[in-house]
Amino acid sequence: LNACTQRLCVTIDDVRDFMTNIKDCQVVVKPARGVGSDGVSVCGTQEEAEIAFRNLQSTVRYAGNTTNSQVLLQKRLIGPEFAIDTVSRGEGSHKVVAVWRYEKHRLAPDAPRVYYCSELISDWPESICDAVIKALNATGHKAGPTHTELILDDTLGPTIVEINARFHNQNFPPITQHCLGLTQLRAAAIAASPRAESLWQNIPDRPPRFQGGGRIVHLVSYLEGHIESFNETLYHELISLPTVVDHDIYAQEPGQYLRRTVDVTTDAGWILLAADSKVQVDSDYETIINKMRSLYPSVTNKENTR
């Protein structure tokens, strides 16, 4: 069972020791508890790793009011990245209910892993689901939802990055309901009910190989400052695309502050796509990605642009 080489660091000496042992490799520096690339840095040298470590230790921990006293360093893996949603019941009966493939891009040194989309896929390799089930058993997870992030490393094969013992993104149900006929929320409710054994048994161990498509598209802001203008015409064009099922754009009004996207917490919004035609979903996705930069043609304080 492969897992990425990693160390939980408390002191700068921990960082130096880890960097010495892995030698000529890039490392990912991130909070021990985080979300959506928040606070994540990709470092190629010991000096860069030390700077990222110190910067994180001065920031507040996700979903809490304490600082990041512990920082996780992981050897960078190379290959496609997946999130595997599971639900478990009783003494460790596990069901894989959805498989997602992430698309992330490096946009700037302080934005090394910006989400463009999470795509619900049906062409997943069985090896990644097997690896996740083995990891759940190895860590003693027996009940409730998880989403496990895994990279199909070019050298190691399926390699566990982290197991999150919680639900995946709250926006996903419209996509999974349309494409799979089941949501992680419903599967977890069935798993938690002592009288739903027959319903639990009817949930397949793996999600069906569906024919359609589904994506959550992350709207990326390339500017930072107070909005001077918002492209209403383009906005209505994008949300009227054939496969759009839901959306939320956070800042639209003149004077509102727009943050430059460096991680999921600084997204400008999201659009959900789901349809029986994967070709149409993919086409709508490309349209959004190619045009989203033009949603905000003008902001003040443009020094933080790219």
Side-chain angles (χ1 to χ4, degrees):
L1 182 61
N2 296 322
C4 60
T5 303
Q6 59 187 342
R7 179 162 180 175
L8 192 61
C9 297
V10 178
T11 68
I12 200 69
D13 287 337
D14 293 337
V15 176
R16 291 167 180 163
D17 182 60
F18 181 79
M19 295 298 294
T20 299
N21 288 333
I22 66 162
K23 298 183 179 176
D24 299 323
C25 295
Q26 287 188 317
V27 298
V28 177
V29 181
K30 61 186 184 181
R33 179 179 179 179
V35 62
S37 297
D38 178 27
V40 173
S41 300
V42 178
C43 304
T45 66
Q46 178 175 312
E47 181 182 7
E48 291 176 354
E50 290 181 17
I51 292 171
F53 171 80
R54 289 193 175 98
N55 288 342
L56 266 182
Q57 282 204 315
S58 66
T59 61
V60 175
R61 186 179 184 185
Y62 171 71
N65 55 8
T66 59
T67 57
N68 287 296
S69 59
Q70 297 178 316
V71 175
L72 186 62
L73 269 66
Q74 296 179 322
K75 180 180 177 181
R76 188 185 180 193
L77 302 169
I78 305 298
E81 186 175 0
F82 302 88
I84 295 88
D85 296 348
T86 66
V87 174
S88 305
R89 173 183 169 93
E91 290 301 307
S93 171
H94 309 297
K95 309 276 189 178
V96 176
V97 294
V99 181
W100 306 84
R101 182 167 48 227
Y102 290 152
E103 182 181 340
K104 302 178 184 178
H105 295 271
R106 179 180 176 87
L107 300 184
D110 65 339
R113 303 289 289 160
V114 171
Y115 284 80
Y116 272 34
C117 88
S118 299
E119 180 184 12
L120 184 67
I121 62 171
S122 63
D123 59 347
W124 38 267
E126 180 63 30
S127 61
I128 68 173
C129 294
D130 287 345
V132 168
I133 298 304
K134 290 177 181 177
L136 294 180
N137 288 330
T139 55
H141 182 83
K142 296 184 182 299
T146 73
H147 74 276
T148 297
E149 296 183 350
L150 173 150
I151 290 177
L152 192 56
D153 184 74
D154 294 346
T155 302
L156 299 174
T159 306
I160 302 296
V161 175
E162 61 187 37
I163 300 173
N164 300 286
R166 54 181 169 84
F167 288 107
H168 203 173
N169 195 305
Q170 64 180 351
N171 305 337
F172 286 167
I175 299 176
T176 53
Q177 184 62 49
H178 182 96
C179 295
L180 305 174
L182 179 71
T183 69
Q184 191 182 29
L185 291 169
R186 175 165 171 75
I190 291 171
S193 174
R195 299 183 179 181
E197 180 62 30
S198 62
L199 292 176
W200 176 252
Q201 294 302 327
N202 287 335
I203 298 175
D205 290 339
R206 302 288 187 269
R209 303 281 188 172
F210 63 97
Q211 298 300 311
R215 296 177 185 251
I216 178 168
V217 187
H218 299 263
L219 297 177
V220 174
S221 166
Y222 297 86
L223 302 174
E224 179 151 349
H226 294 279
I227 297 172
E228 291 182 333
S229 62
F230 178 72
N231 192 333
E232 290 279 355
T233 301
L234 177 58
Y235 165 68
H236 289 292
E237 175 190 336
L238 295 183
I239 65 172
S240 299
L241 289 168
T243 66
V244 172
V245 295
D246 200 0
H247 72 280
D248 190 8
I249 297 181
Y250 304 143
Q252 302 180 35
E253 300 299 323
Q256 282 187 284
Y257 195 80
L258 178 71
R259 297 179 66 188
R260 180 173 65 91
T261 301
V262 297
D263 51 40
V264 146
T265 67
T266 50
D267 281 350
W270 48 264
I271 298 178
L272 300 189
L273 308 177
D276 294 335
S277 169
K278 185 178 186 304
V279 172
Q280 186 63 62
V281 168
D282 293 348
S283 175
D284 289 352
Y285 170 65
E286 291 299 327
T287 297
I288 295 169
I289 292 300
N290 290 332
K291 294 186 175 184
M292 63 184 177
R293 182 189 291 265
S294 300
L295 280 171
Y296 301 98
S298 180
V299 302
T300 58
N301 303 320
K302 297 180 183 177
E303 65 274 14
N304 292 324
T305 63
R306 61 171 177 266

